[in-house]
Amino acid sequence: MADSAGIQQGSPAIGAAGLVPAAPGAGGTEGSGAARGSARIAVKKAQLRSSPRPKKLEKLGVYSSCKAEGACKCNGWKSQNPPPTPPQTEQQSNAVNLQEPCRSCSHTLGDHVTHLENVSEEEMNRLLGIVLDVEYLYTCIHKEEDADTKQVYFSLFKLLRKSILQMGKPMLEAQESPPFEKPSIEQGVNNFVQYKFSHLPSKERQTIMELAKMFLNQINYWQLETPSQRRQRVPNDDAAGYKVNYTRWLCYCNVPQFCDSLPRYETTQIFGRTLLRSVFTVMRKQLLEQARQEKDKLPPEKRTLILTHFPKFLSMLEEEVYSHNSPIWSQDFLAGAAGGQIPIHTVISAASVARPLYYSTSPVSVDPSTCGSVSPARKAASVLEPNPAGEKRKPSEPLSHEENKRPRVVGDIPMDLINEVMATIADPAAIPETSLLSAHSARDEAARLEERRGVIEFHVIGNSLNQKPNKRILMWLVGLQNVFSHQLPRMPKEYITRLVFDPKHKTLSLIKDGRVIGGICFRMFPSQGFTEIVFCAVTSNEQVKGYGTHLMNHLKEYHIKHEILNFLTYADEYAIGYFKKQGFSKDIKVPKSKYVGYIKDYEGATLMGCELNPSIPYTEFSVIIKKQKEIIKKLIERKQAQIRKVYPGLSCFKDGVRQIPIESIPGIRMLFFFSVGKELKDPDQLYSTLKTILQHVKSHQNAWPFMEPVKKTEAPGYYQVIRFPMDLKTMSERLKSRYYTTRKLFMADMQRIFTNCREYNPPESEYYKCANLLEKFFYTKIKEAGLIEK
């Protein structure tokens, strides 16, 4: 703790593996000075414990009550010949006179230590450690100027004195014992890592864990500001609540670092979100500022980690810390990928990995009642209010253990092949980076990379009538008004100004180099289930860079969090093309009764709507599609290599076999899916043909094993072997719902029935034989219908 109220909140060096904080009353926040102070205390204790037993008795007698007859009230022996001050450097005589009288009660030293005659050396050394802690706290009390801190020191001082007198262990008496809040900060950060980064490859996830470990280490050695300092900095804060946490922190975390006779806890393990919220904003700002100042002192292997990735990590974590509905603070938080509670030491035990990290851009969030928030890719410190409580997208329902074990792969493709292809796709050396100028690059790819590098930022901002104006936000609103006025010349400037500064409207602003270059102004109607997009523009010299698409994707993510899944807008003739590219159409999904009378009608404009899918991560959608295309391309290449494979000739006829099923010829079954046949383009004609074929198949005498889905009771372990089951009942339902839009879909499902049967059952089984016979009958009917060549 600082020795004066003027010392500001501490900020230990970022790159350090673990620093010792300033000692209470020692003044300052430099880790090196604090470490020296702590070391001095340890040396004194070691010297005292190695002293002769008479010297130990003399020391303990000072803090022991008199045991002489006559009910003496002296609570500590005091020498009549105290040592000079400062004490002599030479070693005092080891001979201690137990008959020397006390200056206060005149009873001898021996009368004060009679209860220690039969005490073990171990117990005596423990009591001597408490004695030095008492003396240290006594010094802190006289040096400390803050009244709240001094009161805590004095309480701990009395507690330790009492422990010496009663020869007991110091036990803090409090209404609540640690932990004070669940989940703890440590668990919350672990949940955050799992929630946001579980999809990353293991090496990149290790880098995230290193950042989390660094952050938790900073909190454990962070010096909290005193309640009086906090009242001056944040007058409207919950002063009483902070004072309670500050007192607990002093008693359980800070003072025990030096007074080791008190039980010590890690700050991150006994405190939760409440304390983290009270320190995060200031802590984040000071950590990043110190990182910039000391960047030349950082080791090369940590420089990128701290200067590039740590700020992004803190920005994303800040969003979760101040969000009211973030799932990472739920006590029943379950990891979607693992299906269980995250181990609390996942981050703490993480190995250090310093390598480039690729972040998935998370959506922006906002406090609906205040002015704004920032995209987690880059968030400016101390710009917005300290409580951007954006609602988070609700996590999907937890999957059962069996469902989690089942691979999420569509199609009968072996998992080994999928993993092999994925490894090829993920290997940077195997797939060259697509040029941003390539015709195959996504529209928003350049904008997404710029956001990741911190070149551009996205903020949801708005004017407020009940909050103190934020100068930077007001400047951004003025910038937005200018952009909209220049890009929408037919719109009256007064009208644009009124809507941009209307507290009911918000604007997703695009910031580059500190200035506004674009934005989307909108008004949310939560009760009606839609949002009206009023203005959408990017300044002319920044267009054709994908900013407009990335803006809209951020807006979609923002509304998914707020559970509004429909956009409506009136687009003029120049904007229709843009909105079509963003998924808008003239087919309005919102009932007319929901929006009539709510949105503004614009003469000569076209009403367009967009329905959002909450399962799509729009800001990363183009990346996902690109990855899927690469995977499919690799799979097709491998499949083509198999098709071109030359199989050996048939040798069975040499053994006297006269006839074999055509499908038993190696490679022939694959040709069924590439056979040239007549594709019926008329949906009704296709439906009628497939219905007839399916009825014939179901009526066949060998169709009985495949009529309905396989029951688990009848075939144990079937669904562990067969990942994509199919049956004739399911095909009938699909046919009825017009699922089969082509003959190939129908043939693929039917072939899956036979393939599954042969995979699960042995060749000599009755089911295996039924599959072969029914398959032969099926392809006969397909040929008769002209769907494949005879």
Side-chain angles (χ1 to χ4, degrees):
M1 191 55 229
D3 65 348
S4 70
I7 299 296
Q8 294 301 313
Q9 189 172 355
S11 53
I14 298 174
L19 298 174
V20 181
T29 56
E30 292 299 326
S32 58
R36 288 194 297 270
S38 181
R40 283 196 298 270
I41 298 171
V43 169
K44 284 184 179 180
K45 288 187 177 182
Q47 290 175 346
L48 189 56
R49 288 165 178 162
S50 62
S51 301
R53 188 176 180 91
K55 273 288 184 184
K56 295 180 180 180
L57 290 173
E58 181 183 13
K59 190 73 172 177
L60 288 171
V62 175
Y63 295 93
S64 301
S65 59
C66 185
K67 308 297 188 298
E69 296 181 359
C72 181
K73 296 182 179 180
C74 179
N75 62 358
W77 180 81
K78 297 177 180 62
S79 174
Q80 292 187 341
N81 301 301
T85 303
Q88 297 177 0
T89 55
E90 63 268 15
Q91 191 70 272
Q92 296 292 325
S93 172
N94 288 337
V96 175
N97 185 5
L98 294 178
Q99 301 302 318
E100 184 179 348
C102 173
R103 193 173 63 196
S104 298
C105 66
S106 299
H107 291 117
T108 64
L109 172 62
D111 290 331
H112 286 77
V113 295
T114 53
H115 63 296
L116 299 173
E117 291 178 358
N118 299 321
V119 169
S120 65
E121 283 295 315
E122 182 181 358
E123 175 63 14
M124 189 169 288
N125 287 337
R126 184 186 72 83
L127 293 173
L128 286 169
I130 301 178
V131 166
L132 284 183
D133 287 345
V134 166
E135 292 177 349
Y136 182 70
L137 277 174
Y138 182 78
T139 304
C140 292
I141 291 170
H142 286 277
K143 284 187 175 183
E144 183 59 54
E145 296 181 1
D146 179 71
D148 297 317
T149 309
K150 182 177 289 191
Q151 184 179 2
V152 175
Y153 289 165
F154 187 66
S155 299
L156 295 176
F157 171 82
K158 291 193 296 182
L159 172 67
L160 295 180
R161 283 292 312 261
K162 183 179 178 182
S163 299
I164 299 172
L165 290 171
Q166 298 178 354
M167 297 178 61
K169 291 185 177 181
M171 297 295 293
L172 294 168
E173 298 179 1
Q175 294 181 348
E176 272 189 86
S177 58
F180 303 111
E181 188 175 0
K182 292 183 179 180
S184 65
I185 296 173
E186 180 181 295
Q187 182 64 63
V189 172
N190 275 280
N191 293 348
F192 166 72
V193 170
Q194 186 66 26
Y195 177 54
K196 287 289 188 182
F197 306 105
S198 60
H199 65 285
L200 293 178
S202 59
K203 290 185 178 180
E204 295 179 6
R205 195 161 58 247
Q206 287 282 28
T207 306
I208 292 292
M209 290 178 178
E210 175 68 11
L211 295 173
K213 178 181 177 182
M214 186 188 305
F215 174 74
L216 292 175
N217 183 66
Q218 296 301 317
I219 297 178
N220 283 330
Y221 293 108
W222 193 260
Q223 296 295 298
L224 298 188
E225 56 189 343
T226 65
S228 59
Q229 289 173 335
R230 185 168 180 81
R231 279 194 297 271
Q232 293 175 4
R233 187 174 64 83
V234 192
N236 299 325
D237 191 44
D238 179 15
Y242 180 80
K243 184 176 180 180
V244 170
N245 276 335
Y246 177 76
T247 302
R248 290 169 172 171
W249 172 78
L250 280 178
C251 293
Y252 291 98
C253 304
N254 184 261
V255 174
Q257 292 184 71
F258 307 93
C259 301
D260 58 8
S261 52
L262 291 167
R264 180 177 180 268
Y265 298 85
E266 296 284 5
T267 305
T268 56
Q269 293 180 355
I270 65 172
F271 291 99
R273 186 182 190 182
T274 303
L275 181 71
L276 185 59
R277 278 183 165 182
S278 64
V279 303
F280 192 94
T281 304
V282 174
M283 179 179 174
R284 175 184 179 277
K285 183 178 180 181
Q286 292 189 14
L287 285 177
L288 298 182
E289 179 62 31
Q290 186 169 0
R292 286 189 288 268
Q293 293 176 357
E294 301 181 0
K295 60 182 179 181
D296 296 332
K297 301 178 184 178
L298 296 172
E301 66 273 11
K302 286 214 169 189
R303 193 168 296 156
T304 301
L305 188 72
I306 292 171
L307 297 179
T308 304
H309 304 318
F310 197 44
K312 296 176 181 178
F313 177 87
L314 292 178
S315 294
M316 297 180 75
L317 179 58
E318 184 173 26
E319 183 181 355
E320 304 301 322
V321 168
Y322 293 112
S323 170
H324 289 311
N325 298 321
S326 174
I328 70 171
W329 302 106
S330 171
Q331 293 192 41
D332 57 351
F333 174 84
L334 295 176
Q341 188 71 25
I342 305 302
I344 194 166
H345 293 293
T346 301
V347 169
I348 300 304
S349 60
S352 174
V353 178
R355 61 163 278 161
L357 177 66
Y358 303 96
Y359 286 86
S360 63
T361 308
S362 297
V364 293
S365 70
V366 73
D367 180 356
S369 62
T370 60
C371 302
S373 74
V374 200
S375 69
R378 182 176 175 88
K379 191 167 185 177
S382 303
V383 174
L384 307 177
E385 288 74 25
N387 186 24
E391 296 184 11
K392 299 297 298 175
R393 183 192 303 197
K394 294 182 179 178
S396 57
E397 291 296 321
L399 301 174
S400 68
H401 185 60
E402 291 298 323
E403 287 175 322
N404 275 311
K405 291 197 301 183
R406 189 179 302 166
R408 298 287 190 265
V409 183
V410 178
D412 289 320
I413 303 172
M415 281 306 301
D416 293 340
L417 176 59
I418 290 293
N419 293 332
E420 185 181 344
V421 172
M422 286 295 292
T424 305
I425 296 300
D427 185 5
I431 298 180
E433 184 68 25
T434 304
S435 169
L436 296 181
L437 300 178
S438 168
H440 301 288
S441 62
R443 285 191 298 272
D444 63 335
E445 189 165 343
R448 188 174 55 254
L449 292 175
E450 284 190 11
E451 183 185 15
R452 187 171 293 166
R453 293 196 300 264
V455 177
I456 59 175
E457 305 171 10
F458 293 88
H459 302 254
V460 175
I461 61 174
N463 197 12
S464 176
L465 298 179
N466 52 15
Q467 296 286 334
K468 185 178 179 180
N470 184 302
K471 184 177 179 180
R472 179 166 296 191
I473 290 178
L474 292 177
M475 292 297 294
W476 285 344
L477 290 173
V478 172
L480 286 165
Q481 187 265 345
N482 289 333
V483 170
F484 292 144
S485 297
H486 281 89
Q487 299 305 126
L488 306 171
R490 292 191 294 179
M491 198 68 66
K493 291 184 178 180
E494 296 81 4
Y495 179 69
I496 292 175
T497 305
R498 179 161 60 86
L499 294 190
V500 169
F501 284 88
D502 180 10
K504 296 178 182 179
H505 289 70
K506 296 190 180 300
T507 305
L508 173 60
S509 57
L510 171 58
I511 311 297
K512 185 174 184 178
D513 298 329
R515 62 185 182 86
V516 176
I517 64 169
I520 300 177
C521 182
F522 60 93
R523 179 175 178 180
M524 303 169 72
F525 295 94
S527 62
Q528 305 304 110
F530 75 92
T531 282
E532 179 192 11
I533 295 178
V534 184
F535 305 126
C536 176
V538 175
T539 188
S540 55
N541 60 337
E542 296 286 356
Q543 291 178 5
V544 201
K545 295 182 180 180
Y547 292 153
T549 297
H550 205 43
L551 261 172
M552 186 61 70
N553 287 339
H554 267 298
L555 190 68
K556 290 176 180 178
E557 288 277 10
Y558 173 80
H559 279 80
I560 287 173
K561 289 183 195 177
H562 289 77
E563 299 180 355
I564 298 179
L565 303 180
N566 283 282
F567 286 158
L568 290 178
T569 187
Y570 274 96
D572 61 25
E573 55 184 323
Y574 303 106
I576 290 178
Y578 164 79
F579 282 110
K580 281 185 177 180
K581 292 177 182 178
Q582 309 309 319
F584 285 72
S585 72
K586 299 175 184 178
D587 181 17
I588 309 300
K589 302 294 184 181
V590 182
K592 194 170 184 179
S593 58
K594 288 285 187 180
Y595 64 82
V596 170
Y598 286 88
I599 66 174
K600 308 168 188 68
D601 295 325
Y602 293 94
E603 188 176 346
T606 303
L607 181 63
M608 303 184 73
C610 178
E611 187 175 19
L612 307 182
N613 187 330
S615 63
I616 295 178
Y618 285 96
T619 52
E620 293 295 314
F621 190 53
S622 60
V623 177
I624 296 171
I625 294 298
K626 178 182 176 183
K627 189 79 70 176
Q628 289 176 345
K629 287 180 178 179
E630 292 170 354
I631 293 171
I632 293 172
K633 182 180 177 182
K634 288 289 182 181
L635 290 172
I636 291 174
E637 289 175 358
R638 290 169 182 262
K639 183 65 72 174
Q640 288 175 339
Q642 293 176 8
I643 293 171
R644 288 191 289 266
K645 180 179 179 181
V646 178
Y647 292 89
L650 298 174
S651 59
C652 59
F653 298 109
K654 295 179 182 180
D655 301 328
V657 177
R658 299 291 302 274
Q659 183 179 357
I660 62 171
I662 188 172
E663 65 270 10
S664 66
I665 300 174
I668 200 70
R669 181 175 286 113
M670 197 174 297
L671 293 178
F672 282 128
F673 295 97
F674 296 92
S675 297
V676 178
K678 182 176 64 174
E679 185 70 73
L680 301 179
K681 296 184 178 180
D682 183 2
D684 294 332
Q685 185 183 355
L686 176 65
Y687 173 79
S688 177
T689 303
L690 298 181
K691 183 178 180 181
T692 302
I693 294 173
L694 187 58
Q695 286 174 346
H696 283 301
V697 172
K698 291 169 68 176
S699 302
H700 194 271
Q701 60 181 357
N702 293 304
W704 60 270
F706 316 111
M707 296 299 292
E708 293 188 351
V710 176
K711 297 179 181 178
K712 293 182 180 180
T713 55
E714 296 177 356
Y718 181 83
Y719 290 98
Q720 276 69 49
V721 177
I722 304 302
R723 295 179 290 115
F724 305 102
M726 184 53 61
D727 59 274
L728 296 175
K729 181 181 179 181
T730 302
M731 288 190 65
S732 299
E733 293 172 352
R734 287 188 169 189
L735 180 65
K736 188 176 180 180
S737 64
R738 300 298 179 110
Y739 168 79
Y740 299 118
T741 55
T742 67
R743 62 185 172 91
K744 291 183 179 179
L745 284 174
F746 181 79
M747 293 168 65
D749 274 358
M750 187 66 75
Q751 185 62 50
R752 181 175 292 174
I753 294 177
F754 308 136
T755 303
N756 289 346
C757 179
R758 283 189 285 258
E759 184 177 350
Y760 184 77
N761 299 290
E764 64 274 9
S765 67
E766 184 179 8
Y767 301 110
Y768 197 102
K769 296 175 183 177
C770 285
N772 286 341
L773 293 172
L774 188 62
E775 182 183 36
K776 186 176 180 180
F777 174 77
F778 167 67
Y779 280 105
T780 300
K781 292 298 179 183
I782 285 288
K783 291 174 184 176
E784 291 176 357
L787 297 182
I788 61 173
E789 287 186 347
K790 298 181 181 180

